[in-house]
Amino acid sequence: MEFLDGTVLTTAIPSIAADFGVGAAAVNITMTAYLMTVAMGIPLSGWLAERVGARRIFCLAIALFTAASLLCAVSQDLTMLTLSRILQGAGGAMMVPVGTLVVLRGTPKSELLRATAYLVWPGLLAPVLAPMIGGALATYLSWHWIFLVNLPLGAAAFLAALRLVPRVSGDRERRLDWLGLVLTTLSVGALVVGLELATVHPEGPWTMLSVTAGAAALAAAVLWMLRAANPLFDLTVFSTRTFRATNTGGFIYRLTISAVPFLLPLMFQEGFGWSPLHAGIMVAGVFIGNIGIKPATTPLIRRFGFKPVLVFASLASAVTFVLCALLTPETPEPLIFALLACSGAFRSIGFSAYASVQYADIVPGQLASANAVSATLVQLATGAGIAVGALLLRMFDSAPLLGTGLGGLLGAGPDGDGVAAYRGAFLAIALLMLLSTADSLTLHRHAGAEVSRPGRAPAAERPRRRPA
């Protein structure tokens, strides 16, 4: 529910705008408000789970998200919908990170790989499924059903949480680092707003101002938490190489992967002249690849280890981006569908590997901090991916010969059908993906062996973990 609701409104924006009597561009504020609230609320969710107890916060988050969904469905104007989306985002900010923390704490390292294979599914499928689900509900029912479907799902999830999530008492003595929380929340909010503005008004002064303010606040937060006695986050988690890899090379990996669902539908509609339904069906190839390879991801990681799998996934993804740059309206559609299915498969392998390796060498006392930091960076990477995709399109659209020339170097030849900007954008994100490959190549060859290949790596060669 949380992942879908971040982007599911995209295809329903015209219907919402017509009902409320506003411009379609004005409805974008409901998506920005939701994503910003989720990102800003994650830092607090980790502390709340530690202080009050993960079970209570998880159940509260589901109830809040479900109630907010009802308010969204009955909204009579844009203001009420936006405020309801903010409330929904507050529930989502607690729901996913705290739910993940419950799983991590209840799973032994030897089973972590299998558990995280299930955790990554929503993040993989939501960007692909959201346009189809939102479009179908808005077309055949009404946009209100985008939120109404959350009611039975939320009720079922709440009852399941009460039954399945173990009772663990919170630490009532745990103090909140107020300055760290304020600085982190402000930095994340400013960065999300800046990234959103970059997709629609990159030339405006507010975009650079927001990003700069966010970066400055983030730097101040880091400096404070490195010196504070009881910091909001334990930033020593970054001294663990496997965790650091997920949030350096892994950040770039998520950024580039997030740009693809944004670029593909636009290229098919604007460049190829396809209908939204035609484009949506074709992009479903990514979904097929995600699902098709999923049973094999865990065996692949267990067989080869994290480092080779991460290097392969990023290299293979870069190749698929280059091949996407070579697509033309004359390319046979079965070939396009097969390429997107392969891209989805490599995407699934990489996501599963990064999601598992990041906690492989984290000690139990650092799990809450590692989980909250990772969840925040995932939100930023997703927003950055869409922003980078939009900026690349604008850049190559203003210099179409550059995109056409890059495609020509690979044998695509010049074109005048509006695909040149997309060609340049896909080639650029392929180059970005290679940065992720370079980072993975620096990993220890037995990185995360306790999770991927328990008992099979020589003890002398396993990476040492810092004591809690």
Side-chain angles (χ1 to χ4, degrees):
M1 291 191 298
E2 194 276 328
F3 278 106
L4 276 175
D5 276 47
T7 54
V8 74
L9 277 187
T10 304
T11 51
I13 283 178
S15 300
I16 297 173
D19 276 4
F20 292 162
V22 298
V27 183
N28 281 328
I29 191 174
T30 62
M31 295 180 60
T32 302
Y34 176 83
L35 294 173
M36 184 175 68
T37 308
V38 169
M40 294 175 67
I42 288 174
L44 180 61
S45 69
W47 177 83
L48 284 173
E50 293 288 296
R51 176 68 183 263
V52 181
R55 184 176 187 267
R56 289 181 179 177
I57 296 301
F58 188 53
C59 291
L60 173 64
I62 295 173
L64 182 61
F65 190 94
T66 307
S69 296
L70 177 60
L71 292 176
C72 289
V74 300
S75 295
Q76 299 299 307
D77 54 41
L78 186 60
T79 300
M80 182 177 177
L81 179 60
T82 303
L83 293 175
S84 300
R85 289 282 282 173
I86 291 174
L87 189 63
Q88 195 182 39
M94 295 184 291
M95 192 160 57
V96 173
V98 175
T100 302
L101 183 61
V102 170
V103 174
L104 293 175
R105 283 181 168 168
T107 305
K109 288 291 180 72
S110 60
E111 294 297 320
L112 187 61
L113 185 58
R114 190 182 305 276
T116 52
Y118 291 101
L119 289 176
V120 300
W121 276 45
L124 283 169
L125 303 184
V128 181
L129 290 178
M132 289 188 291
I133 293 175
L137 290 174
T139 300
Y140 298 108
L141 295 172
S142 72
W143 64 265
H144 306 83
W145 284 93
I146 290 174
F147 302 107
L148 291 175
V149 295
N150 287 335
L151 303 186
L153 292 175
F158 184 82
L159 294 175
L162 289 177
R163 180 177 179 83
L164 298 175
V165 179
R167 293 179 180 271
V168 178
S169 58
D171 181 6
R172 295 289 181 177
E173 302 300 319
R174 187 177 181 85
R175 299 176 61 187
L176 178 60
D177 174 14
W178 285 102
L179 181 57
L181 176 64
V182 170
L183 289 173
T184 303
T185 302
L186 288 177
S187 66
V188 171
L191 287 171
V192 170
V193 170
L195 293 171
E196 286 291 307
L197 289 174
T199 64
V200 290
H201 301 295
E203 68 285 347
W206 293 108
T207 300
M208 184 56 66
L209 182 62
S210 183
V211 171
T212 303
L218 183 61
V222 170
L223 290 175
W224 165 255
M225 284 186 279
L226 287 174
R227 301 176 59 182
N230 297 291
L232 180 67
F233 298 139
D234 179 7
L235 295 184
T236 60
V237 293
F238 284 101
S239 64
T240 303
R241 180 65 182 94
T242 46
F243 181 81
R244 192 167 67 250
T246 304
N247 296 287
T248 51
F251 185 91
I252 298 172
Y253 184 88
R254 289 189 179 95
L255 184 153
T256 53
I257 287 295
S258 297
V260 174
F262 170 78
L263 291 171
L264 279 175
L266 288 177
M267 183 176 74
F268 290 151
Q269 293 177 64
E270 295 184 357
F272 290 14
W274 291 358
S275 69
L277 179 60
H278 190 176
I281 292 173
M282 191 59 67
V283 175
V286 178
F287 166 75
I288 299 298
N290 284 336
I291 294 294
I293 198 64
K294 181 54 66 179
T297 54
T298 297
L300 281 172
I301 295 171
R302 291 206 185 280
R303 172 66 179 84
F304 297 103
F306 283 112
K307 179 178 179 178
V309 168
L310 288 172
V311 170
F312 168 77
S314 56
L315 273 178
S317 294
V319 170
T320 62
F321 299 158
V322 172
L323 293 177
C324 284
L326 302 181
L327 296 176
T328 68
E330 289 73 36
T331 305
E333 292 187 14
L335 190 60
I336 297 176
F337 193 87
L339 171 62
L340 298 187
C342 290
S343 179
F346 302 142
R347 164 195 177 99
S348 183
I349 293 171
F351 261 83
S352 297
Y354 272 122
S356 302
V357 75
Q358 66 179 334
Y359 302 115
D361 301 310
I362 295 293
V363 296
Q366 293 179 318
L367 268 180
S369 291
N371 181 57
V373 169
S374 178
T376 303
L377 290 176
V378 165
Q379 290 288 333
L380 291 177
T382 302
I386 297 173
V388 167
L391 289 173
L392 287 172
L393 279 183
R394 289 178 182 269
M395 182 178 72
F396 286 108
D397 192 46
S398 62
L401 291 179
L402 181 58
T404 303
L406 289 172
L409 290 175
L410 294 172
D415 59 73
D417 54 9
V419 182
Y422 296 97
R423 177 167 295 138
F426 274 112
L427 291 175
I429 64 171
L431 290 175
L432 279 175
M433 180 60 84
L434 294 180
L435 296 177
S436 176
T437 306
D439 183 77
S440 297
L441 285 170
T442 65
L443 281 170
H444 192 281
R445 63 173 176 162
H446 291 302
E450 188 176 352
V451 170
S452 64
R453 311 170 78 183
R456 295 173 60 185
E461 295 187 6
R462 291 178 191 165
R464 294 182 179 179
R465 292 183 295 169
R466 292 175 58 129

